[in-house]
Amino acid sequence: MAHGTTTAPSEDFVITPVRPGEEKGTWSSWIQDLFFTVDHKKLGLMYIAVGLFFFVIAGLMAAAIRIQLAIPNNDFLHPDVYNRFFTMHGTAMVFLVGMPIIFGFANYLVPIMIGARDMAFPRMNAFGFWITFFSGILLYMSYFTAPSLYNAGSAPDVGWFAYSPLTAKAFSTGHSTDYWTLSILMGGIGSVATSINIIVTTICMRCKGMTLGRMPLFVWTWLVVAFLVVIAIPPLSACQIMLTLDRYLGATFFDTQAGGSAILWQHFFWIFGHPEVYILILPGFAIMNEVIPVFSRKPIFGYPVMVGATVMIAFISLGVWAHHMFTVGMTSLGNSFFAISTMLVAVPTGIKLFNWIGTMYGGKIRFELPMMFSIGFLFQFLIAGLTGVMLAVAPFDWQLHDSYFVVAHFHYVLIGGLLYAIFAGIYHWYPKAFGRLMDKKLGLWHFWLFTIGFHLTFFPQHIAGFWGMPRRIYTYEAGRGWEEMNLISSVGVVFQAIGILLFVVNLLYSLKKGKVAGDDPWDAWTLEWATTSPPADYNFEKEPVVRSRRPLWDLKHPKDPDWKYE
Amino acid sequence: MAHDPHSHSDENSVELPTPTAWPLITAFGIFLLFFGLVTTVVISLLGLLCATIGGIGWFSDVFPHPKHEPFPIRPKDQWPQPISPEGRSVSHLHVGEHGHREQYPAAAHPYAAGFVGGILGALVMAAIACAWGVLVDKSIWYPINLLAAVGVPSLAAADVETLKVFSMVGLVVAVITHFTTAVLVGLLYTVILPMLPAKREWIWGGIIIPIIWTGLMWATLGLISPAMNAKIEWLPFLLSQLGFGLVCGLYVARSVRISTQRTWSVAARLGVEAQHPGEK
Amino acid sequence: MDNAINQTLPVEEETPWRLPSIRKVAMICLITTETALFTIFVVAYLFYIGKSLNGPYPYEVLHFPWWASAALFGSSGTIMIAEHYLKKGKHGLFNLWWFITIALGTYFLGFTAYEWYVLIYKEGLTISTNVFGSTFYSLVGLHASHVIVGLFLLTIILISSFRKKIDHEHHEHVEMISWYWHFVDAIWVVVLLVVYVLSMNY
Ligand SMILES: [Cu+2]
């Protein structure tokens, strides 16, 4: 590689194409940057910013729900408002918080980790972001523009899985359910477009030497997730199209009066819905795959097995959907099949947990913030997985279906699992994106307050569920034994809210006041740390060449490089 | 697009896609299209127009060639810092090194030994059980039917007298269960015995392990097969287990251990290196 | 001072580094996702076979579309011939066969329009009549919408070709559009089987 004596006179650098209104630092340049950009890093950050924005809104709704449930016979929220809140909370958290944030991480990191300059289809990438953003706007517009019987605005109130026949025109008048359907249909377009982009980027844009077997596990996991999105989102879109036809043109797909089937909606929705759980949690695994080795100072344990386990999880997750429907009344064969296939997911998931522990075993663990959240993830996701296997047992599910036990289970998955992974990821890559480290003291407060609050809120819900508390009830009578559990649950929200507040403060504070990070603050091994923080628009001055899974390790240890062992 | 034949990168600039708002306009058009469906159709028409314009603009951006423009590379003093290999040390984990446990057997008995040992043990075990049946219960079929009762509901519900009568189903189920389990335990012995902390493997395999699992069975049989639990006699059960353990354990322990190669380097495993760590 | 990553030892520099074509991978992904979409509509159709509470029923109103199917399947052949001539550089013949493909596709679309016209105005079957109507119009309509998109893409290529804008680097674009057209054809095989064969006796 000929370098060293490049004849690069500095006047060549003035070829910047300055378009009118694009002088750096002005308002108009800022807006142009926002609206015109096709850069994967900017779009990635925009995805995460939008996700965090909706996270705060949907989180406030959850807080209101917890206030309503804190004491028996409470009337803090009107029952109708309550129904809208839990619907909007669930829908927003899945489609407007989880999906955008994970896509943000993928957008920012996948190209740079494989040594590419951008995504394969940069314009489609921008399109995917904007359509996701507008789908969120459309959903929340319902509060202002959906006419209903009672108020000027009426948000959807049919629950996040919108079971038929509640969504039929007869039971859901006005347009609130249409907002829900159309918004999800729109978001689906963006998710599929972005996922195709990620697949193509991963397969076709890798830098020299980056064979499939050398890709960072983050990228591998994302390749699998993107395939899962491509296969699992169309069923959702299909059933939304059917529902729209039902509601607008009087089709009879889900109209039981006219020969349609309400159960079919459940099947179609969960054919999407269960893979969706893995679409959300696998990116969490992806972040773990990068964070845990770096802070354990060891390479990931069992790389090929990790890849295999990811593929296996994705594959099995396509055949487990009816475990959400045990109480519908299926045949024994159906029950057994879906119970066993669901339990089978525990095998590759267990492999992953053990491999992360195997990575930490014998390593020099550094308790930085990303690692703290990762360890929290391991504990909490284990609990989530175990309650998941419990719910896979059909007779057990008959008892606890639609109870607070289920609520506790999936909040352990999505908060204890995914959200902790997202926090770990943000603390880990924030210095790369903004050039400054996040404040550790504030971060520790965030970690402990949020962890305490999280367990206070959601652990008692397991017990309330065992004691028969159904989910989605607006209030409950005193004397049923649920008072203590609900009060503890609501108190936990206070801790969580302060934790999140500190996190947001930290995000903004560290932007200007954080410690300067340098190129490689964590002494890590993947390509994103080989460029500056923040990276240049083109990521790398010269396209990198790699020879092992840890290109930066090779550079740091020329006497003991990884490629010797490959 | 690095492989685009039309890119003309030079030393001082790279080709990056030209920023464009067409995707945003297209997305906004689709948004209006959908928004019109829940408000008035005029907005939908507006959205259709907007999306069409956006689509045409987008198409003109990528056809005939995707638009890109040269982006200047920063001056060299802003490039990433060089990575220094100074002041670093690497420690490798080695098997058996200061308390680092061996996670897997470095050497194991051949599977064949486990298979044969399991069969032999199963024969001895069956002989003991049947002998007890003939001598004490006055029926050779009694222990056989009792074992089969785990999987055959009719036998599980039967009384003692029925169990003493020959049953074809009982015989088949019992033989399959008995030998499959025995072979599986024999195979397990080949990998477990080398990991146990004693020189006399056969004591572990022959006596200690059978006693442990007899205890385990004693504690849990009520859950697995209530019928068997109600009728089982624990003395002959233990005796037959010990018979199995001793035969199978001795047979496996006497076989020659072979290296699992897990501690070898890749080169050694591939046969590139002549001297293997396990060989002298 | 140099970019850190450029310090990597240049040992493998001589080995060629080839990656799959971006367009092909993208088209495969698109076809995968479209297949998933069609699968759900096909399943819905199969699920509702024979479950209509009132007529008209499939056996009363459906007729096997011999000519339209032949036209659509034939267009898969003509598009391949067109591609063949493009590779040989014979642009005139390419235009001709490409135009025939469009014509066949348009004939198919016209058939669907006529079929729907008869069903709606003569037989009285609409999307809200019964579950047969709902599933039939949605499945066939979804396919027809893909035919429309395909015809649109084919027309763009034809116009570009007339304006002499199709040069060597666009061969893959043309190939991708033909892949899409083959996909639309393959879906018709399934729709034909499900709608015009399997449900004919109900
Ligand atoms: Cu599920």
Side-chain angles (χ1 to χ4, degrees):
Chain A
M1 214 172 281
H3 56 255
T5 53
T6 28
T7 48
S10 53
E11 52 265 29
D12 282 2
F13 291 120
V14 238
I15 49 168
T16 325
V18 179
R19 280 176 289 265
E22 222 187 60
E23 296 83 11
K24 279 284 166 206
T26 59
W27 266 102
S28 82
S29 94
W30 195 78
I31 287 173
Q32 286 228 1
D33 245 16
L34 200 64
F35 290 162
F36 282 65
T37 188
V38 289
D39 178 44
H40 74 98
K41 297 182 290 300
K42 282 183 194 139
L43 287 166
L45 294 177
M46 283 152 74
Y47 262 119
I48 295 176
V50 165
L52 289 177
F53 170 72
F54 283 118
F55 173 75
V56 171
I57 294 182
L60 289 175
M61 288 183 158
I65 289 172
R66 276 321 319 168
I67 294 173
Q68 165 65 20
L69 291 174
I71 48 172
N73 294 319
N74 201 358
D75 56 0
F76 175 72
L77 292 178
H78 187 274
D80 286 334
V81 176
Y82 182 88
N83 286 352
R84 286 174 208 146
F85 270 28
F86 74 65
T87 303
M88 292 295 272
H89 166 77
T91 309
M93 282 298 187
V94 171
F95 294 104
L96 303 177
V97 178
M99 299 291 272
I101 293 183
I102 60 168
F103 276 128
F105 272 100
N107 249 304
Y108 197 99
L109 291 170
V110 167
I112 201 164
M113 273 184 171
I114 58 172
R117 292 222 155 106
D118 209 320
M119 299 283 261
F121 303 107
R123 293 162 201 85
M124 196 157 90
N125 204 13
F127 174 74
F129 166 77
W130 286 111
I131 203 142
T132 310
F133 172 73
F134 285 130
S135 82
I137 299 293
L138 181 62
L139 185 67
Y140 273 93
M141 282 297 261
S142 61
Y143 266 112
F144 308 105
T145 48
S148 79
L149 291 176
Y150 316 105
N151 331 57
S154 108
D157 54 2
V158 286
W160 91 273
F161 40 72
Y163 274 180
S164 174
L166 189 57
T167 50
K169 205 77 187 160
F171 307 108
S172 174
T173 50
H175 274 306
S176 66
T177 302
D178 298 319
Y179 275 90
W180 183 85
T181 314
L182 295 173
S183 159
I184 285 175
L185 199 55
M186 226 175 116
I189 301 171
S191 301
V192 170
T194 310
S195 293
I196 292 180
N197 211 344
I198 289 168
I199 295 173
V200 178
T201 307
T202 310
I203 293 180
C204 307
M205 307 282 283
R206 282 166 287 139
C207 70
K208 211 170 177 190
M210 179 73 73
T211 56
L212 287 178
R214 287 179 190 160
M215 285 196 315
L217 275 178
F218 182 94
V219 182
W220 249 117
T221 313
W222 255 101
L223 183 61
V224 177
V225 174
F227 266 113
L228 209 50
V229 172
V230 162
I231 294 170
I233 293 281
L236 176 73
S237 305
C239 66
Q240 305 294 357
I241 292 172
M242 291 175 191
L243 182 59
T244 309
L245 291 176
D246 269 16
R247 290 180 58 88
Y248 276 89
L249 299 178
T252 57
F253 284 103
F254 309 118
D255 182 358
T256 44
Q257 299 284 305
S261 161
I263 303 296
L264 197 69
W265 167 271
Q266 298 193 16
H267 277 293
F268 285 169
F269 187 87
W270 290 117
I271 286 173
F272 148 79
H274 190 84
E276 171 70 13
V277 175
Y278 289 91
I279 290 169
L280 287 172
I281 198 66
L282 282 173
F285 291 177
I287 293 171
M288 292 298 109
N289 287 336
E290 297 306 318
V291 170
I292 289 179
V294 166
F295 292 93
S296 303
R297 313 309 301 151
K298 271 177 68 191
I300 190 91
F301 184 89
Y303 175 101
V305 183
M306 286 300 246
V307 173
T310 311
V311 176
M312 221 171 125
I313 288 176
F315 181 73
I316 300 174
S317 80
L318 290 168
V320 301
W321 73 87
H323 63 211
H324 297 266
M325 300 165 57
F326 284 139
T327 51
V328 160
M330 290 182 289
T331 57
S332 309
L333 189 69
N335 282 341
S336 314
F337 174 83
F338 285 106
I340 291 170
S341 64
T342 305
M343 290 178 198
L344 218 56
V345 185
V347 175
T349 315
I351 290 174
K352 281 178 160 284
L353 275 171
F354 280 120
N355 279 5
W356 289 321
I357 296 169
T359 308
M360 289 161 68
Y361 179 80
K364 275 202 171 69
I365 297 177
R366 296 184 310 198
F367 287 96
E368 296 288 344
L369 290 167
M371 191 59 176
M372 306 271 291
F373 279 96
S374 300
I375 293 171
F377 170 96
L378 292 182
F379 278 99
Q380 286 148 196
F381 190 71
L382 177 67
I383 298 175
L386 291 177
T387 51
V389 176
M390 287 159 82
L391 286 169
V393 181
F396 184 93
D397 186 78
W398 292 336
Q399 288 299 314
L400 287 168
H401 185 81
D402 262 355
S403 76
Y404 259 80
F405 187 84
V406 178
V407 175
H409 157 69
F410 68 70
H411 280 91
Y412 263 76
V413 175
L414 292 176
I415 298 182
L418 176 63
L419 188 60
Y420 269 66
I422 288 173
F423 284 144
I426 290 179
Y427 282 110
H428 187 60
W429 282 293
Y430 184 93
K432 177 49 62 185
F434 300 106
R436 286 173 190 272
L437 289 161
M438 286 180 79
D439 189 74
K440 190 167 178 181
K441 214 174 199 177
L442 274 174
L444 282 174
W445 275 102
H446 166 215
F447 175 77
W448 287 111
L449 280 173
F450 194 78
T451 305
I452 292 168
F454 163 68
H455 286 280
L456 272 182
T457 301
F458 293 105
F459 198 80
Q461 294 185 358
H462 290 110
I463 302 164
F466 273 128
W467 289 346
M469 182 173 169
R471 74 195 275 197
R472 291 179 171 174
I473 49 169
Y474 145 67
T475 189
Y476 52 93
E477 285 168 14
R480 294 204 170 190
W482 305 336
E483 294 96 323
E484 296 84 0
M485 292 305 149
N486 276 293
L487 188 61
I488 299 172
S489 227
S490 298
V491 169
V493 172
V494 178
F495 288 81
Q496 291 190 63
I498 301 173
I500 294 292
L501 188 69
L502 291 181
F503 170 68
V504 174
V505 167
N506 199 352
L507 279 177
L508 300 173
Y509 168 84
S510 305
L511 213 53
K512 286 273 178 288
K513 298 277 171 66
K515 250 192 268 171
V516 175
D519 299 345
D520 181 16
W522 309 120
D523 197 3
W525 305 307
T526 34
L527 279 180
E528 77 270 28
W529 306 103
T531 177
T532 50
S533 318
D537 284 30
Y538 45 76
N539 293 347
F540 303 100
E541 271 76 19
K542 290 179 182 163
E543 285 182 41
V545 178
V546 299
R547 295 192 57 195
S548 79
R549 282 171 200 156
R550 297 189 299 168
L552 264 67
W553 170 276
D554 296 348
L555 289 176
K556 290 168 182 173
H557 305 91
K559 292 206 183 93
D560 197 18
D562 267 4
W563 45 263
K564 264 195 190 167
Y565 301 96
E566 277 191 1
Chain B
M1 299 221 166
H3 307 287
D4 194 331
H6 291 266
S7 74
H8 26 75
S9 304
D10 56 55
E11 282 279 298
N12 300 316
S13 70
V14 280
E15 296 288 330
L16 287 184
T18 312
T20 168
W22 293 123
L24 164 64
I25 292 167
T26 314
F28 185 67
I30 295 173
F31 164 70
L32 284 184
L33 189 70
F34 280 50
F35 189 53
L37 288 178
V38 281
T39 46
T40 74
V41 77
V42 180
I43 295 182
S44 282
L45 292 176
L46 211 65
L48 195 65
L49 187 72
C50 186
T52 313
I53 293 171
I56 292 170
W58 190 344
F59 182 74
S60 69
D61 258 7
V62 292
F63 193 85
H65 318 294
K67 263 193 200 156
H68 45 66
E69 57 190 27
F71 193 93
I73 286 184
R74 336 173 249 206
K76 281 210 168 182
D77 57 330
Q78 291 172 22
W79 284 23
Q81 297 294 310
I83 288 169
S84 142
E86 301 300 315
R88 294 171 180 277
S89 65
V90 182
S91 56
H92 291 271
L93 283 172
H94 291 291
V95 173
E97 196 178 68
H98 41 259
H100 185 64
R101 275 191 301 136
E102 293 187 26
Q103 300 294 302
Y104 38 75
H109 296 285
Y111 289 135
F115 188 81
V116 177
I119 300 270
L120 290 178
L123 290 173
V124 173
M125 184 176 168
I128 296 175
C130 290
W132 185 278
V134 171
L135 295 175
V136 181
D137 298 315
K138 311 290 182 222
S139 165
I140 193 172
W141 306 115
Y142 184 65
I144 295 173
N145 286 336
L146 210 50
L147 174 61
V150 180
V152 183
S154 65
L155 287 175
D159 56 13
V160 176
E161 290 312 311
T162 322
L163 287 176
K164 289 187 177 176
V165 183
F166 170 76
S167 151
M168 193 61 206
V169 179
L171 183 66
V172 171
V173 171
V175 167
I176 292 175
T177 314
H178 184 63
F179 280 94
T180 321
T181 318
V183 166
L184 286 177
V185 173
L187 290 175
L188 212 56
Y189 267 24
T190 61
V191 273
I192 286 180
L193 291 188
M195 288 196 284
L196 291 170
K199 287 211 163 169
R200 296 187 199 287
E201 292 179 343
W202 66 271
I203 297 184
W204 281 99
I207 299 169
I208 299 176
I209 293 180
I211 290 177
I212 291 176
W213 88 55
T214 304
L216 206 65
M217 288 294 280
W218 179 80
T220 57
L221 191 63
L223 296 171
I224 302 165
S225 172
M228 198 169 166
N229 192 40
K231 298 177 188 107
I232 196 167
E233 295 154 276
W234 288 104
L235 180 64
F237 185 81
L238 180 63
L239 286 179
S240 60
Q241 302 301 325
L242 285 174
F244 171 84
L246 280 171
V247 172
C248 184
L250 267 173
Y251 189 86
V252 171
R254 284 169 58 89
S255 67
V256 182
R257 289 195 196 185
I258 51 172
S259 171
T260 56
Q261 309 186 351
R262 299 305 300 268
T263 55
W264 299 7
S265 70
V266 178
R269 263 199 257 181
L270 289 172
V272 181
E273 281 179 14
Q275 175 87 51
H276 294 172
E279 294 173 2
K280 286 278 142 57
Chain C
M1 216 164 11
D2 200 351
N3 183 4
I5 202 61
N6 293 336
Q7 296 166 4
T8 321
L9 300 170
V11 172
E12 290 189 354
E13 225 168 16
E14 301 313 315
T15 52
W17 182 242
R18 283 174 181 281
L19 289 166
S21 148
I22 284 176
R23 290 181 201 94
K24 283 185 181 163
V25 176
M27 187 46 82
I28 290 169
C29 290
L30 183 71
I31 287 176
T32 311
T33 192
E34 295 270 30
T35 308
L37 185 69
F38 271 103
T39 306
I40 297 296
F41 279 94
V42 168
V43 168
Y45 190 90
L46 287 171
F47 179 84
Y48 282 128
I49 284 181
K51 291 198 176 141
S52 289
L53 299 181
N54 52 287
Y57 301 104
Y59 73 90
E60 295 172 333
V61 292
L62 288 188
H63 304 285
F64 195 87
W66 290 106
W67 288 107
S69 304
L72 195 62
F73 295 145
S75 72
S76 250
T78 56
I79 202 170
M80 278 162 77
I81 298 172
E83 261 189 283
H84 170 79
Y85 283 122
L86 183 66
K87 274 187 193 132
K88 286 205 162 176
K90 296 181 176 167
H91 283 263
L93 282 166
F94 166 75
N95 287 348
L96 175 67
W97 285 101
W98 200 260
F99 178 77
I100 294 175
T101 309
I102 294 176
L104 289 171
T106 314
Y107 172 75
F108 175 86
L109 205 61
F111 161 77
T112 302
Y114 176 71
E115 183 194 34
W116 283 27
Y117 171 79
V118 171
L119 285 176
I120 293 170
Y121 290 102
K122 303 268 163 62
E123 313 280 2
L125 177 78
T126 66
I127 196 165
S128 59
T129 309
N130 52 19
V131 285
F132 164 58
S134 299
T135 50
F136 171 82
Y137 284 113
S138 59
L139 179 58
V140 175
L142 189 68
H143 179 262
S145 67
H146 280 72
V147 175
I148 293 171
V149 172
L151 284 174
F152 181 69
L153 295 172
L154 291 170
T155 313
I156 289 178
I157 292 292
L158 192 67
I159 293 170
S160 309
S161 176
F162 279 143
R163 294 171 64 192
K164 306 251 184 283
K165 280 208 169 169
I166 301 286
D167 52 34
H168 197 73
E169 70 161 308
H170 292 116
H171 285 192
E172 206 177 64
H173 291 75
V174 173
E175 196 186 344
M176 288 309 102
I177 286 170
S178 85
W179 279 22
Y180 180 84
W181 193 250
H182 292 316
F183 164 73
V184 171
D185 246 22
I187 290 291
W188 184 246
V189 176
V190 178
V191 174
L192 208 56
L193 196 70
V194 167
V195 176
Y196 295 94
V197 177
L198 282 180
S199 68
M200 263 322 205
N201 297 324
Y202 292 90

